Every structure is written in structure tokens, then in C-alpha cells.
Amino acid sequence: MFQRTLWIFVFGLLLFPFQGISQKAWTLEDCIAYALEHNLLQETQHYNTKISQERWRQSKRNMLPSIGISYPSYNVSFGRTLDPVTNNFVDTRFVSGLSGGLSSSLTLFESFKKWHTLSYQKLLYESSQFDTQQAQYDLAFRVMDLFNSVLFQEGTLELIKEQHTSNLLHQKTITKKVELGLVAKADFYEIEAATSAGALDLLKAENALKAAKLALVQEMNLEASDINILQDISMLQPFDNDKSLQIETIFGASQEILPSLQKSKISVETAKKDLAIKKTARFPRLSLSAGISSRFSDNFKDPAGSTVPFREQIKNNQSQFIGLSLNYPIFGNGRTRSNIKIAKIQLEKAQTQLKIEEQRTYKIIQELLQKNEALMAEEQLNFKKIKAKEKAYNIAQKKYEKELINLYELQLASNTYLSAKIEQVRLMAQMAMQKHTIDFYNGTFSLPTLTPSN
């Protein structure tokens, strides 16, 4: 209970003073949602996904036949020219007239190459979606880490302010006692040195906080140099190491939802499809083609010597064709065999990469759980240390008031108490980050979305 009270007290000191000002207070969810919406790297990844999607759609359209139109052409020849009407050479100006046509072709059989290509492009599109999702999670955790850094720096600054205020009060009291001749002047110099050191520590803490806030707003791509954060206290409570945090349970969940693992699985399927595509080059290709064409010329005359009308010429000169073509590969300088061999190697590589990714994920989860256990143990020990240092500091104050110890010993007790409190702030910030990370691998972490109020 004291642990929760301490945590709320420390961050309450940080957050409540900002409630009265007009500037927006950002929660962790607000920061992540804004970054996901405005970070330019996320926008670039979105374009990559759209490109993959269009390639997949085009692979669907490739299943349809192709149709082409030869635009009408009008040719005039001079000099000695073959007359297509009389099949004789003429030495005068000759107008061949207009000609044009329509043709279409369709691959009937290609060992299912287009079907394999369609599946291949679909897998690439799904892989790009997982890339986008992984990039979003990476950005979310970068923002989360920077958010906790700001939180830690604010907590540290508040504790240093508290210490510095206490030193100033001591300096004021000692100054009066020196003026009255109740204490030696050496005590004044001692407390003056302590307040000067405290002022320097306060300046360093303020600069560290500014740097942490600047890093956060830059990652969010927020047009500001300062930001006020608001932490949900309920999210900062440590969690018990129960059965839900067993490594096998978390690893099993991560295999179903982790984008990096899903992408590695898709890479294996993509390599299989690529191998199937390469193998189709061994088999024949059957194509169907058809077309229609016609032409018009002033040289087409009727028995009376008049030019045959346009509509009649188009009908009389019309030609149609339909055909099948079979192309069977016999020898291609070993290119097909080499491509198939490389595709097989790529498949083995993808399968190995999947095992590596699974092993890496398992190790990360192991380290997370070990670190979580270590952090909880550190937090418990440091909590006991805070209570001990607090008692020591209170006793030192009473002893100093009764002149049983000097000012240096009082400052030493105060500094060790301050260090223990700062360490507690650091541990709690790390545990908050740890909780979100384990939630991510456990499948219970969801990305926040930007609301209209953001």
C-alpha cells in the first residue's frame, strides 16, 4: 500500500500543477496515436504496402486476355511501288489508303504460372502488411520509452527540487544561528556548498527533462518544443508473476500474433511459390490468338473505273485469323535449371530464417521474464531501503537539532535518502515499460487510435 501511495505521490506532484494551464496534457496513448498518424516513416511504409497491393491486383488482371488495336494508318508512296490491287509495279504516286485491325491473345496453359504468380504477389502483400504492423509497434515502443524517460526525468526533478528547498530552509536557519553566535561559521559554509551543489543538480535535471521532452516530440513529429504528459496511475502498478507469465504460454501466443514471426512464416510460403514459378519454365506454353483487320484504298476500282465505296472495301478486304501456338523449351543455356536450384536454396534459407526468428523470440521472452523478476526483486529491496533511509534521515535531523552530529552527516543522510527515492522512480518507470513489452509478446497490447480531440 505504501508503494502505491509513494508512486501516486511522486507523480501527483508532477502532474497536478499542470492541470490549471491551458496546454494539453498528453497521455501515453495520445502520444502513440499521434505518432502513428504523423510519423513520416510510417507514411513511407504505408506507400510500400499500397505498391504491394497494386502488384497483387495486377497479377489478377494478368489472368485476362490481352487485346490490342492497330491504329488506322494512311500511307502515300512515290516512285516505283508495288500496287497491291494489280500486283504490278507502278511509277506514279500511289496511295495505299487506310488500314487497321483488332487482335487478342490468351495463354491457355503455362503450367499454372499465373496462378502461382497470383499467390506469390498476395503473399508479398500480406508480408508488407506485417512490415507495416511491425513498424507501428516499433514506433509505439520508441514513443513509450521516451514517454517513460520524460516521466522519470520529471520525477527526478521533483525530488531534487524538494531536496533543494529543504537545503535552502536549512541555510536560512543556520544563517540566523550564525548571526546569533549559536553555531560555528563553518556550518554556514557547509550548507552554502550544499545549496550550490543542489542548484547545479537542479539545473542539470531541468536540462535533462527538456532534452527528454524534445526527443519525445521529435519522435511524434509534433510541432512543439515542449509537452506536458499525464500518466495513468493504474497502468503503473506492477503485476504478479503468475501462470500467465510462463514462457511457453507467452511464446505460444507470440507465434500467432507477432508480426516478425508471421512475416517469417509468409517468407517460407513465398519461397515455395517462387520455386513453383521457376519450375514452370520446364514445361510447354500453349497460347491462343485471334484477330481481324481490313483496309481502304483509292486504287480499288470497280469495272466502271470508280473507287469502290469505303464501307464496301472494308467489308471486302476484311481478314480474320485464329491460331494456337505451342512453345516447348529445349535448351536455355542451363538458365532454368540454375534458377530452380537458386529458388530451392532460397526456400531452405527462408525455413532457417524462420527457426532463427522463433529462437530469437524465445530468447527475448526469456530475458523479459528474467528482467521482470529481477526488477520486482530490486523494487522490493529498494522499497525497504527507502523506509530505512527515511528513518535514518529523520533520526539524523533530530540528532542535528540536539547538536549530536554535524551538518555534513545530516547532508549525507539526506543525499542517500534522495538517491533511494530517485532509484524507486527509475524502477517503477522500467516496470511500466516492462509490462507493455510483455503484453506485446503475450498478444494483449493494442495500438491506440487517434481520436478527433487529438
Side-chain angles (χ1 to χ4, degrees):
M1 183 64 185
F2 180 82
Q3 176 185 359
R4 176 178 296 184
T5 303
L6 173 64
W7 186 241
I8 295 176
F9 171 74
V10 171
F11 285 95
L13 291 175
L14 303 176
L15 305 177
F16 292 153
F18 297 108
Q19 300 297 316
I21 62 176
S22 60
Q23 188 174 354
K24 171 183 171 60
W26 293 74
T27 65
L28 175 60
E29 289 73 18
D30 292 337
C31 293
I32 294 176
Y34 188 91
L36 291 174
E37 187 73 19
H38 296 85
N39 187 276
L40 295 180
L41 292 178
Q42 293 299 311
E43 188 175 351
T44 301
Q45 185 60 48
H46 176 65
Y47 292 142
N48 292 336
T49 303
K50 292 180 68 174
I51 291 173
S52 297
Q53 184 182 32
E54 182 57 33
R55 287 174 177 169
W56 174 40
R57 290 174 176 174
Q58 182 56 44
S59 65
K60 294 180 181 179
R61 294 189 285 265
N62 288 340
M63 307 292 290
L64 302 174
S66 61
I67 301 175
I69 298 177
S70 58
Y71 292 100
S73 61
Y74 183 83
N75 298 317
V76 179
S77 302
F78 299 91
R80 189 172 177 81
T81 307
L82 181 66
D83 187 340
V85 179
T86 63
N87 204 32
N88 294 324
F89 284 98
V90 295
D91 294 326
T92 59
R93 178 177 177 272
F94 171 75
V95 179
S96 60
L98 295 170
S99 63
L102 176 68
S103 63
S104 177
S105 63
L106 175 65
T107 301
L108 298 177
F109 180 74
E110 202 175 9
S111 300
F112 305 104
K113 180 178 181 179
K114 289 186 177 180
W115 289 103
H116 292 317
T117 303
L118 175 61
S119 300
Y120 178 80
Q121 292 296 339
K122 182 181 179 181
L123 289 170
L124 289 181
Y125 171 54
E126 291 175 355
S127 179
S128 68
Q129 288 180 309
F130 283 117
D131 282 336
T132 299
Q133 189 178 7
Q134 184 63 51
Q136 289 175 337
Y137 281 122
D138 290 342
L139 176 61
F141 277 94
R142 289 198 302 272
V143 171
M144 194 185 305
D145 185 47
L146 293 171
F147 185 92
N148 284 332
S149 178
V150 173
L151 202 63
F152 168 70
Q153 294 298 339
E154 286 187 339
T156 302
L157 176 61
E158 190 63 34
L159 292 173
I160 291 176
K161 280 182 178 179
E162 181 184 343
Q163 175 75 4
H164 186 57
T165 302
S166 177
N167 287 340
L168 289 175
L169 291 175
H170 279 300
Q171 183 179 16
K172 186 176 181 180
T173 302
I174 291 174
T175 301
K176 291 182 179 180
K177 288 183 177 182
V178 169
E179 291 175 353
L180 296 175
L182 299 177
V183 297
K185 201 169 186 178
D187 287 349
F188 173 77
Y189 295 134
E190 188 72 36
I191 192 62
E192 188 178 37
T195 53
S196 298
L200 179 60
D201 291 339
L202 184 61
L203 179 62
K204 289 181 179 180
E206 290 173 347
N207 291 333
L209 177 58
K210 289 179 182 178
K213 287 186 175 183
L214 182 60
L216 176 59
V217 298
Q218 287 178 342
E219 191 66 47
M220 293 170 56
N221 200 25
L222 179 66
E223 295 182 359
S225 58
D226 192 13
I227 186 172
N228 293 331
I229 64 172
L230 178 64
Q231 177 67 5
D232 183 4
I233 301 300
S234 64
M235 295 298 295
L236 298 173
Q237 301 306 319
F239 44 92
D240 297 329
N241 195 8
D242 55 16
K243 293 182 180 180
S244 64
L245 296 182
Q246 296 301 316
I247 183 169
E248 297 299 335
T249 303
I250 298 177
F251 181 68
S254 67
Q255 286 188 309
E256 299 298 325
I257 54 90
L258 206 63
S260 58
L261 278 177
Q262 299 306 309
K263 181 185 176 181
S264 295
K265 292 177 181 178
I266 288 181
S267 295
V268 174
E269 297 302 317
T270 303
K272 290 179 180 179
K273 287 298 177 183
D274 184 57
L275 176 60
I277 293 172
K278 295 296 190 296
K279 286 183 176 180
T280 59
R282 289 176 171 177
F283 303 98
R285 175 183 179 184
L286 181 63
S287 301
L288 171 67
S289 59
I292 182 172
S293 64
S294 186
R295 60 193 177 94
F296 167 83
S297 175
D298 292 337
N299 290 350
F300 286 99
K301 307 292 184 179
D302 58 15
S306 300
T307 301
V308 178
F310 177 82
R311 185 179 299 273
E312 187 176 344
Q313 281 198 39
I314 292 299
K315 180 179 179 180
N316 294 338
N317 296 333
Q318 186 180 104
S319 64
Q320 303 174 6
F321 75 91
I322 184 171
L324 289 172
S325 63
L326 180 65
N327 184 3
Y328 193 92
I330 297 177
F331 180 69
N333 298 327
R335 185 180 297 110
T336 300
R337 180 175 178 273
S338 178
N339 289 339
I340 292 175
K341 189 175 182 179
I342 292 174
K344 287 181 179 180
I345 296 174
Q346 293 286 5
L347 174 58
E348 293 174 355
K349 179 181 177 182
Q351 290 171 337
T352 303
Q353 188 62 42
L354 174 59
K355 293 178 181 178
I356 292 174
E357 189 63 31
E358 289 176 340
Q359 188 180 71
R360 186 182 73 87
T361 302
Y362 193 86
K363 289 180 178 179
I364 290 175
I365 295 173
Q366 277 184 319
E367 292 172 358
L368 282 173
L369 294 181
Q370 189 277 330
K371 185 177 180 181
N372 177 60
E373 186 177 349
L375 282 174
M376 288 194 295
E378 286 184 43
E379 188 276 332
Q380 291 174 2
L381 291 175
N382 195 72
F383 172 64
K384 294 178 180 179
K385 180 180 178 181
I386 288 177
K387 293 195 294 183
K389 294 301 179 182
E390 182 181 19
K391 291 179 181 179
Y393 176 63
N394 292 335
I395 293 173
Q397 280 186 315
K398 293 178 181 179
K399 286 184 177 181
Y400 179 75
E401 292 172 359
K402 296 179 180 180
E403 299 183 357
L404 298 177
I405 61 173
N406 56 30
L407 183 60
Y408 173 78
E409 291 173 311
L410 176 62
Q411 288 297 316
L412 184 61
S414 176
N415 291 335
T416 54
Y417 179 41
L418 174 65
S419 298
K421 289 193 290 184
I422 292 177
E423 178 66 12
Q424 189 74 359
V425 174
R426 183 190 69 82
L427 289 171
M428 294 300 291
Q430 281 193 354
M431 292 178 73
M433 183 73 177
Q434 193 77 2
K435 180 183 186 304
H436 287 298
T437 306
I438 293 181
D439 286 344
F440 167 66
Y441 282 95
N442 205 21
T444 56
F445 177 80
S446 58
L447 293 170
T449 56
L450 198 63
T451 58
S453 62
N454 293 115

